[in-house]
Amino acid sequence: MKKTVLSLTLAASVLALGACSGGDNKTVATSKVGDITVADFNKTSKNLAGSHILSQMLTEKVLADKYKVSDKEIKEAYDATASQFGNDFAQALAESGLTEEGYKNALRVQLLSEKALKDKAFTEADVKKHYEQMKTELNGRHILVADEKTAKEVIAKIKGGAKFADVAKEYSTDTGSAKNGGELGWFSVGAMVDEFNDAAYALPVKTLSEPVKTSYGYHVIEVTDKRDVKGVGSFKDEETNIRTQMLSKLASTGEDQKVLKDIIAKMAKDADIKTSDKELEPAIKALTTTSEEQAKAQEEAVKKAQEKAEKESKDDKAEDTDKK
């Protein structure tokens, strides 16, 4: 249960660590070993967590411009956590370095984030595709291998007359299904990773797929049968449940935070955030950078580092040659 509180510790602490008010020379704390002034405190706070504080404050402003969280929602979330801890809640907050107000501030950002994720994580087209797929169940089998070359070899063997089950037992690294000839049984939309799911639903019955890449490797898929699912309501009736299921799956894979970062980055870019403080510019750049842009920048940095290392190596070799 403590994870409920601790997961928000950083955010709450960051929001709680605001600048002290009053004149710069006003004393915040006194001691026999020296006093701490407002100026001392504010400078140290900025150095220690200035970028985090700015990022959290801007995140809240960006999200709050589009989404609303009521005091009632915050209280309900707060009370739900408090009830888990009972009389130990105050101590749990203190041990996490939190105040009641700080934790409520963090809950506000979390609730705003949840609303943004629910609103923007999936387009209506994504939800409609899920809805159409949920009307049908598939019975299928697959062979999982490490690389595309092997997957194509598998396809060639089956098309050349080898039995799917025999090839699965020989090649598939999915030990659970391999011993059963690659059989997966009946499955519904969302049961498999997205790439597998979409490839399977697009396949005609008894047709081999091309190699399908997922985080597990490369799959060769065959759908052996399809059947209608009874009791599916209209899109309007099912939409809320579908979005909830899709968000749950996103959270279970850990992709929700990446998606949320991209949502906030795009909203922050639209907000045209600027700062006159050079030291805080990196925080704004990080906030407005999507995960794709971040990955591309990292690739470029690695490439430049490799090119620099190769150049230095060539220069060293040339220098050694000249000495000889």
Side-chain angles (χ1 to χ4, degrees), residues 65-238:
D65 183 62
K66 183 171 178 61
Y67 306 102
K68 305 301 176 187
V69 172
S70 66
D71 291 341
K72 181 182 177 183
E73 288 175 292
I74 294 172
K75 185 178 185 304
E76 287 175 350
Y78 183 90
D79 290 346
T81 304
S83 66
Q84 294 178 354
F85 286 85
N87 295 330
D88 296 328
F89 188 49
Q91 182 180 347
L93 285 174
E95 288 176 352
S96 300
L98 300 173
T99 63
E100 179 180 326
E101 192 61 32
Y103 185 59
K104 286 182 178 178
N105 284 338
L107 282 173
R108 174 178 166 77
V109 176
Q110 177 177 288
L111 292 171
L112 285 168
S113 297
E114 288 174 358
K115 291 190 176 188
L117 196 60
K118 186 175 182 179
D119 181 40
K120 292 183 175 292
F122 305 105
T123 65
E124 186 170 339
D126 294 329
V127 181
K128 283 184 175 178
K129 181 176 77 172
H130 184 106
Y131 173 71
E132 291 302 321
Q133 290 178 347
M134 70 185 285
K135 295 177 182 179
T136 307
E137 283 185 326
L138 308 179
N139 195 316
R141 51 189 181 178
H142 83 134
I143 298 170
L144 175 63
V145 294
D147 54 71
E148 187 176 14
K149 181 181 177 182
T150 308
K152 288 182 176 180
E153 183 180 328
V154 162
I155 293 170
K157 280 205 167 192
I158 296 171
K159 287 185 175 181
K163 291 184 178 179
F164 191 105
D166 293 337
V167 179
K169 290 174 183 177
E170 180 183 354
Y171 280 87
S172 187
T173 59
D174 179 5
T175 55
S177 66
K179 60 185 178 183
N180 295 319
E183 295 291 340
L184 296 168
W186 289 98
F187 58 92
S188 307
V189 58
M192 307 297 181
V193 292
D194 291 343
E195 301 89 345
F196 188 108
N197 178 89
D198 291 345
Y201 270 93
L203 275 176
V205 173
K206 296 182 180 178
T207 303
L208 284 180
S209 73
E210 291 299 311
V212 177
K213 185 180 179 182
T214 73
S215 58
Y216 296 99
Y218 287 81
H219 306 256
V220 176
I221 307 167
E222 182 182 22
V223 173
T224 55
D225 200 2
K226 297 183 179 183
R227 67 187 180 192
D228 293 336
V229 176
K230 296 179 181 179
V232 177
S234 66
F235 177 73
K236 184 178 179 180
D237 292 337
E238 301 285 354

